[in-house]
Amino acid sequence: MKYRPLDRSRDEIRLLEILPGRSNNDQQSDVWSNAHESDREDLVECQLNHYIFEKTHSATSLVDQSYSYKQSALDWNHDYAAPAMQEPIKWRYPWGDFVALSYAWGDHNITREVLINGDRAVLGRNLESALRVLRDKQPVKTGYKIWIDALSINQQDVHERDQEVKRMHRIYKEAYAVAVWLGPEADESNKAMRLVRILSQACEIGTDQNLGDSLRQHPEFLGEGSWSALSQLLGRTYWNRLWILQEVALGGNQTAILCGLEAVTWQQLYNAVYLFGTHNIDIMFSLIDRETRAVGIPNSGLNRNRIIHLNDEQKVQDGEAEEQVMCMLDLGRKSLSVDPRDKVYGLLGMMKESVVSRIKVDYHADLSEVYTAFARAFIVADDSLEILEQCSWHGSDLPSWVPDWTDMDHYRLFSGRSNYHATKGLTMQCRFVVDQYEILSLCTKALKIDEIDGLGFSYYEQLLSSTKPTDEMTQSVQHLNRYTSERGLQEAVWRTLVGNRTPTGKNAPDNYRFLLDCVPETGDSAGKSWRGLRAFSRLVNQSADLYIAGKSLHSFFPGDRTVLKNPRVAQEAMEQMFRYLRTRRLITTSTGFLGIAPHASQKADCVVLIPGCNVPLLLRPMGEQRYKMVGSCYLHGFMEGEAIDRSSPGELHFEQVVLV
């Protein structure tokens, strides 16, 4: 397909107009047909044209300044049927309006033919199926055009791609609507879409707790197969695609979620996955596990964390909440992209201008150059070192203070907005230098707290073996207790195991102390229970002999009671353990403190506080005041600024460190 360059002096944009099909019959059954396009009479036909993006005062919609297009949701649930009396559409542009499509490209080797401007063009099968369904939907029939990255951007023109990536925020933000295409009907997806509507409605009318109780008594109440279908729907490849993060975030809560011929709104999906789960997460996961086991398919969960953060980001983009850049960087790290540079470029649309203006989108640049430039730009623009919490020990050629966004196994201490305050407002003091080894280094002040003495085994949920293969326990040498008493030590243990937080980020309540009364599973039962109990059991069993202030870890869990005495609190506390302990391990320090650190930690790694970063960091000495980042850590007794509170300004002795 031949492209004409966009005229940037005229603010041009390419949009697709899907022409009416010859027949509406058997639309869905033909979506995944294996027939060759050349053998089919009904190719999807489109026109791809240039339009001036800037709104003009001649646009009808601008006559009524009170008209809010964001409040007027389009109807994607019904095929078009021309009404006898149709209210005129208030177009915002002289040429009409447009919808931005969000979808997964899919396998590039599986293609279908369409007609674009009269010529045959080859598209990915998933995109062709989207066009085939969309052409009979009401918005397209009434004249809305579509912006689609694969077609609206000349993907072979790297310079144009560089330019359009920076315009993605504006495109998705100013689109009349965003439409998500999950793919054709499959794996009983219609049941899943129906379940979303039911759960959402229960939340809207206040019957969600009653519905949860009914499901506990009658698991089949909403129909067999609905929960496994929902798990598979939210396990589709679309949800792991990096570019969808900003596309959904900029679309708002009326974003349409289409699967086959069915559609729900983002708000309905959020209600079903998050709000309904507020009081019913136990039965939701139980039913999913029950149904997926019954039919022998993988349990994909609900992608709940991703949906929660995307919903929060919609509020950020609408100016209704504070920014949560770290959360979106977390999601981007764990998302899939063809080009690893997109781990940065694909998130620029959600970042503040002070960061974006310092980034040059360049797909010819070396990956380390892109990641280093972003880390530096973020530090300068944000006037903080919060991004250091995204760093982990890596073997790449990146400086250790630069996050490696290709590392999908990294987790921050808490996945939401940063809610620790270890440095309690101390301002960042740093500068960038090229050292004698020609490495761009970060020079900063650091307050050394302690160093690691003992280490337990690291916890990896995805492994079937008892420990990560390269792990070994390093026994504590020192037996000091810095928590003043036996009761203080016990409190340090249970608060450390949950990072002193609930799953929603609040301070852990005193009743989490019940963890000390729980019995870790052993033998055949270990690994077969819900994930929170697995996390608790494996951590305690694996590191049972680690000494904490002279006492073995297992001695803190006498096992005289079971978690069933308080199942609600058990579920919440152990769920937090699962989220918090992934890829981490227990540590003790030389002066008697207890904490949690990354799996790559070693004996004698230094625990430091660096102004501008709200959590303690682990550094590995490399000689000559040079250090490498190992990662962030939890050290009980230092997370809320206690080190600052315990000392007068003159007693805090910061030293210069160079991170290489």
Side-chain angles (χ1 to χ4, degrees):
M1 184 168 61
K2 294 182 179 179
Y3 279 92
R4 176 166 58 86
L6 293 170
D7 187 342
R8 302 204 175 274
S9 68
R10 301 179 67 222
D11 198 19
E12 284 189 342
I13 187 174
R14 292 190 193 94
L15 297 172
L16 195 75
E17 181 181 358
I18 309 175
L19 303 180
R22 299 179 185 178
S23 171
N24 290 339
N25 296 331
D26 300 322
Q27 178 192 53
Q28 176 62 25
S29 62
D30 195 37
V31 163
W32 267 168
S33 170
N34 291 321
H36 294 293
E37 296 290 357
S38 57
D39 297 332
R40 185 190 303 167
E41 295 182 2
D42 189 23
L43 289 179
V44 175
E45 298 183 53
C46 310
Q47 291 288 327
L48 184 65
N49 294 310
H50 291 212
Y51 299 90
I52 297 176
F53 198 6
E54 183 178 357
K55 293 190 285 286
T56 71
H57 289 286
S58 62
T60 305
S61 64
L62 297 184
V63 174
D64 181 4
Q65 294 295 330
S66 66
Y67 176 69
S68 175
Y69 71 91
K70 288 294 185 184
Q71 302 302 316
S72 180
L74 299 176
D75 181 6
W76 296 95
N77 258 315
H78 302 95
D79 289 348
Y80 178 71
M85 295 290 292
Q86 182 175 355
E87 185 177 332
I89 297 175
K90 297 179 179 179
W91 298 118
R92 297 179 301 149
Y93 301 88
W95 43 263
D97 218 322
F98 76 103
V99 172
L101 185 67
S102 178
Y103 69 105
W105 281 33
D107 190 337
H108 292 275
N109 296 315
I110 305 177
T111 60
R112 305 285 278 283
E113 282 189 341
V114 299
L115 290 175
I116 299 180
N117 297 341
D119 297 325
R120 289 178 180 264
V122 176
L123 302 181
R125 181 175 66 171
N126 191 46
L127 178 54
E128 190 273 350
S129 71
L131 299 182
R132 184 169 292 278
V133 169
L134 288 173
R135 69 178 176 180
D136 289 310
K137 292 297 183 181
Q138 191 174 74
V140 173
K141 285 284 193 177
T142 53
Y144 284 90
K145 298 167 178 58
I146 312 289
W147 190 91
I148 303 172
D149 58 356
L151 296 172
S152 298
I153 300 174
N154 182 357
Q155 298 292 331
Q156 304 306 313
D157 185 339
V158 176
H159 177 70
E160 179 175 300
R161 208 156 37 111
D162 292 348
Q163 296 295 317
E164 291 298 276
V165 162
K166 277 207 167 184
R167 200 161 63 150
M168 295 278 276
H169 175 277
R170 180 184 169 198
I171 290 169
Y172 278 88
K173 188 70 174 175
E174 295 192 18
Y176 187 92
V178 172
V180 169
W181 172 248
L182 294 182
E185 178 188 348
D187 303 317
E188 298 189 294
S189 56
N190 284 352
K191 286 186 177 181
M193 300 292 270
R194 172 181 171 272
L195 181 61
V196 166
R197 294 191 192 96
I198 292 172
L199 300 183
S200 176
Q201 185 180 40
C203 293
E204 291 168 4
I205 64 178
T207 60
D208 50 312
Q209 293 192 55
N210 292 336
L211 179 56
D213 291 339
S214 296
L215 288 167
R216 291 181 184 91
Q217 296 175 23
H218 306 286
E220 73 290 346
F221 183 63
L222 294 179
E224 290 289 344
S226 295
W227 295 95
S228 60
L230 181 61
S231 178
Q232 290 184 86
L233 185 77
L234 293 170
R236 291 196 180 198
T237 56
Y238 170 84
W239 299 106
N240 294 322
R241 177 176 170 258
L242 183 134
W243 282 99
I244 70 109
L245 299 178
Q246 71 169 355
E247 294 164 4
V248 171
L250 295 169
N253 62 12
Q254 291 304 310
T255 292
I257 314 291
L258 290 85
C259 184
L261 301 182
E262 299 289 327
V264 296
T265 66
W266 175 267
Q267 186 64 60
Q268 288 176 309
L269 184 68
Y270 176 76
N271 290 349
V273 173
Y274 176 67
L275 291 185
F276 185 80
T278 302
H279 302 291
N280 301 299
I281 194 65
D282 58 330
I283 188 61
M284 291 178 77
F285 281 122
S286 175
L287 289 171
I288 289 172
D289 189 59
R290 171 178 172 266
E291 291 191 355
T292 52
R293 284 176 183 267
V295 294
I297 59 175
N299 182 346
S300 301
L302 291 174
N303 246 322
R304 199 164 179 259
N305 192 55
R306 181 170 295 247
I307 288 172
I308 292 169
H309 286 318
L310 282 174
N311 194 77
D312 289 344
E313 187 63 22
Q314 288 181 349
K315 295 177 182 177
V316 172
Q317 295 302 322
D318 286 339
E320 299 173 1
E322 296 180 4
E323 67 173 14
Q324 50 157 17
V325 178
M326 288 296 124
C327 302
M328 302 316 293
L329 287 170
D330 290 341
L331 293 186
R333 178 194 291 278
K334 299 183 191 314
S335 299
L336 302 176
S337 63
V338 175
D339 192 320
R341 297 172 186 83
D342 287 335
K343 297 278 188 170
V344 168
Y345 297 156
L347 301 178
L348 291 180
M350 294 176 287
M351 295 186 188
K352 55 190 178 184
E353 181 59 26
S354 58
V355 175
V356 176
S357 63
R358 289 178 164 85
I359 301 295
K360 178 185 178 183
V361 177
D362 182 2
Y363 280 96
H364 287 113
D366 182 75
L367 185 62
S368 62
E369 180 183 342
V370 173
Y371 286 3
T372 302
F374 173 70
R376 184 172 186 171
F378 191 92
I379 290 170
V380 173
D382 201 50
D383 195 28
S384 84
L385 292 172
E386 188 179 5
I387 200 169
L388 294 182
E389 196 183 351
Q390 295 282 4
C391 296
S392 57
W393 187 262
H394 54 70
S396 69
D397 58 354
L398 290 168
S400 70
W401 56 270
V402 175
D404 180 2
W405 303 110
T406 64
D407 177 10
M408 299 178 72
D409 288 329
H410 175 79
Y411 294 89
R412 289 186 302 125
L413 291 175
F414 184 74
S415 63
R417 291 181 177 87
S418 179
N419 62 0
Y420 292 113
H421 311 93
T423 56
K424 210 163 190 177
L426 293 178
T427 57
M428 177 186 76
Q429 303 176 51
C430 74
R431 57 191 174 91
F432 300 95
V433 297
V434 177
D435 67 13
Q436 59 184 328
Y437 303 99
E438 298 187 355
I439 296 174
L440 182 63
S441 303
L442 178 66
C443 297
T444 184
K445 297 286 187 179
L447 177 65
K448 185 176 179 181
I449 297 174
D450 215 329
E451 63 180 39
I452 292 179
D453 178 32
L455 302 103
F457 287 105
S458 59
Y459 175 69
Y460 271 73
E461 166 65 22
Q462 67 268 31
L463 296 182
L464 297 177
S465 58
S466 59
T467 63
K468 186 174 179 291
T470 57
D471 259 358
E472 59 181 27
M473 191 178 77
T474 301
Q475 187 58 271
S476 304
V477 174
Q478 303 297 331
H479 294 164
L480 301 173
N481 175 12
R482 294 297 295 272
Y483 301 110
T484 69
S485 66
E486 178 66 18
R487 185 173 182 82
L489 182 62
Q490 292 176 349
E491 181 174 354
V493 169
W494 68 258
R495 288 195 183 275
T496 296
L497 291 179
V498 296
N500 199 25
R501 292 292 186 267
T502 68
T504 58
K506 297 178 181 178
N507 287 339
D510 290 341
N511 61 6
Y512 275 20
R513 189 182 189 281
F514 100 96
L515 282 171
L516 299 180
D517 298 326
C518 293
V519 180
E521 289 187 322
T522 57
D524 293 339
S525 62
K528 295 181 180 179
S529 56
W530 53 284
R531 67 185 192 178
L533 184 54
R534 287 200 303 269
F536 168 75
S537 300
R538 290 186 181 179
L539 179 121
V540 174
N541 290 334
Q542 289 170 3
S543 302
D545 297 327
L546 177 69
Y547 282 120
I548 299 172
K551 297 181 59 178
S552 63
L553 176 63
H554 72 81
S555 69
F556 289 90
F557 303 92
D560 57 348
R561 283 192 262 173
T562 73
V563 299
L564 297 179
K565 288 190 176 293
N566 201 334
R568 293 270 182 173
V569 176
Q571 176 191 343
E572 181 179 302
M574 290 185 177
E575 173 65 18
Q576 171 62 5
M577 282 189 65
F578 167 79
R579 300 180 188 184
Y580 177 67
L581 294 173
R582 289 173 294 190
T583 74
R584 295 194 174 91
R585 59 203 308 188
L586 275 168
I587 61 167
T588 61
T589 70
S590 296
T591 63
F593 290 105
L594 179 65
I596 295 285
H599 69 90
S601 306
Q602 294 179 2
K603 187 180 180 68
D605 283 345
C606 298
V607 185
V608 303
L609 296 179
I610 294 181
C613 185
N614 288 323
V615 296
L617 300 171
L618 278 180
L619 305 183
R620 187 161 298 163
M622 306 302 290
E624 301 175 353
Q625 292 186 312
R626 299 166 73 246
Y627 295 83
K628 282 195 173 185
M629 280 283 305
V630 179
S632 59
C633 68
Y634 176 95
L635 196 65
H636 190 66
F638 289 88
M639 303 306 293
E640 305 302 332
E642 295 92 335
I644 312 301
D645 291 339
R646 287 192 291 260
S647 306
S648 62
E651 294 176 334
L652 295 175
H653 300 296
F654 289 90
E655 58 184 80
Q656 185 84 13
V657 298
V658 180
L659 303 182
V660 297

